[in-house]
Amino acid sequence: MQPTLKRTAQLAWPLILGNASIPLLGIADTAIAGRMPGAVDLASVALGAAWITLAFWAFSFLRQATSGLTAQAVGRKDSRQISSLLHKGLCLSVGIGCAISLIGTLALPGLLSLANPAESMRATTQDYLSIRLMGAPFVLTLYVLHGWMIGQGQTRLAVSILLGLNLLNIAFNALFGLALDMGARGIALGTLCAEATTAIAVLIGLIRRHPELLRGFSVQGIGQLMQANAWVMGRTLALLAVFTWFNTQSSQMGADSAAINAILLTLLSVAAYSLDGFADAAEIQVGQNLGAGKKDWARLALRSTALCSMGSAVLASLALFALGHIAVLWLVPQPQIAAQVTPWLIWLAPIPLVAWVSYWMDGVYLGINAFKPMAVIMVLVTAGVYFPLNLALAEQGLWGQWASFWAWQVARAALMLGWFWTQLRPRHFSV
């Protein structure tokens, strides 16, 4: 289908909706834990969920590499390769997931000793994490399935599955956590059941609709997928390093600074939902059209996704300028804390005007399977710009943190756009 602004919006809006639903998992867990007597269950769930999210998100490259490679295979109408990518992705997700479950369980006592949580919550946190780690194969399988569907442009189906996972999670958590009074263990078990049920149900549904997926099961060429995943993993780890250090540094500055940055980053993540959706739309349209050899349509895809992404960035920035103070009061209905956060919106609100370039470029790079340069650029700007500047401005407090974060955003956008324009565009989009 020829790329247009309408087609781009049709691909992106389900993904934006799906991305916006992701926080429901954490909100539901927190809301249910908050209705249990005492603070131990709530604190254990909050700490455990943060660790699990970090551990699982480090392997989100399984979705990104799968979607980029699948999009090009769809463009080539290579049904065998499309099926093979799913086979290989599932083998990797189950293998890596089982390794995470085993290694994580063995390392858990040592990690808890290093983190040294309050003695009252140590046992509860360990129980929560032990159960959640068992879900790694199912979570990574859902990453692969999500990427495989996005690569084919099946964004509504992918988002329906994500919404179904969220609803199941709420239902199971309420059942085990509240109705059966199992506390934090019940919440962990509920989330595990939701993840397992969703992954298994989706696989069964796919096999029923496409029985040919079981025929000719092949992992030939799995090395290519592993290599692509390795590069995207490097990029993901560099991204994680920035946000992990940002949060760690905030906590070292004191409770007020930690609270300010937590609220600002929450607002930034909401603004990022639309940028992520249009990045995925770019990946789908660029990848499929290049795979089909339609360079003219691929160039149209570049223009339409760039315009949509830029437009969403402008709207997000205007919303943060105009409504940011209201959002802060809604998140934290305590005037004394909100008053400390509001002045820092001037640092936050313009970020989408720069960040949209790197989000859009991420989608384009994935669509043309340029995994290596995407990873190298991320590592370079993280190690060469963010951390040196952040450490140099460490004594400057919050503004030093945000100055280095801004420099990282600008450098990343500039390098990705520059490399694309001088190296990738002539190679992939020239007549």
Side-chain angles (χ1 to χ4, degrees), residues 13-196:
W13 78 258
L15 295 168
I16 295 169
L17 178 64
N19 290 337
S21 75
I22 291 173
L24 285 176
L25 286 167
I27 291 171
D29 288 359
T30 302
I32 291 170
R35 284 160 173 76
M36 297 172 183
V40 172
D41 286 311
L42 177 59
S44 298
V45 168
L47 177 61
W51 283 14
I52 284 292
T53 299
L54 190 65
F56 288 172
W57 193 47
F59 294 89
S60 62
F61 60 81
L62 288 165
R63 186 205 71 80
Q64 295 164 316
T66 301
S67 58
L69 291 167
T70 301
Q72 290 220 1
V74 169
R76 295 193 300 270
K77 293 183 170 60
D78 189 345
S79 57
R80 181 176 296 180
Q81 177 67 0
I82 294 170
S83 297
S84 179
L85 283 167
L86 179 61
H87 300 159
K88 291 181 285 193
L90 291 176
C91 287
L92 284 176
S93 66
V94 172
I96 295 172
C98 289
I100 293 172
S101 298
L102 178 61
I103 296 170
T105 301
L106 293 174
L108 193 51
L111 290 173
L112 283 169
S113 295
L114 286 174
N116 196 28
E119 190 62 35
S120 60
M121 53 184 289
R122 184 184 291 267
T124 309
T125 303
Q126 181 162 344
D127 286 344
Y128 177 90
L129 288 168
S130 297
I131 295 170
R132 288 296 311 276
L133 282 168
M134 294 169 62
F138 303 110
V139 172
L140 300 196
T141 292
L142 287 171
Y143 285 168
V144 169
L145 291 168
H146 193 74
W148 190 70
M149 291 172 186
I150 286 177
Q152 296 179 78
Q154 299 174 353
T155 57
R156 294 187 186 185
L157 178 58
V159 170
S160 297
I161 292 167
L162 190 57
L163 292 174
L165 170 63
N166 285 326
L167 292 174
L168 279 176
N169 180 67
I170 294 170
F172 278 127
N173 284 359
L175 171 63
F176 293 117
L178 290 179
L180 299 180
D181 197 23
M182 294 175 64
R185 292 181 74 253
I187 291 176
L189 183 60
T191 302
L192 171 62
C193 288
E195 292 161 349

Side-chain angles (χ1 to χ4, degrees), residues 47 125 222 315 326 350:
L47 177 61
T125 303
I222 196 171
L315 290 176
I326 297 175

Side-chain angles (χ1 to χ4, degrees), residues 405-424:
F405 188 75
W406 257 97
W408 176 70
Q409 292 280 5
V410 171
R412 181 182 165 205
L415 277 180
M416 290 194 79
L417 186 60
W419 185 261
F420 170 77
W421 197 259
T422 59
Q423 302 296 322
L424 300 179

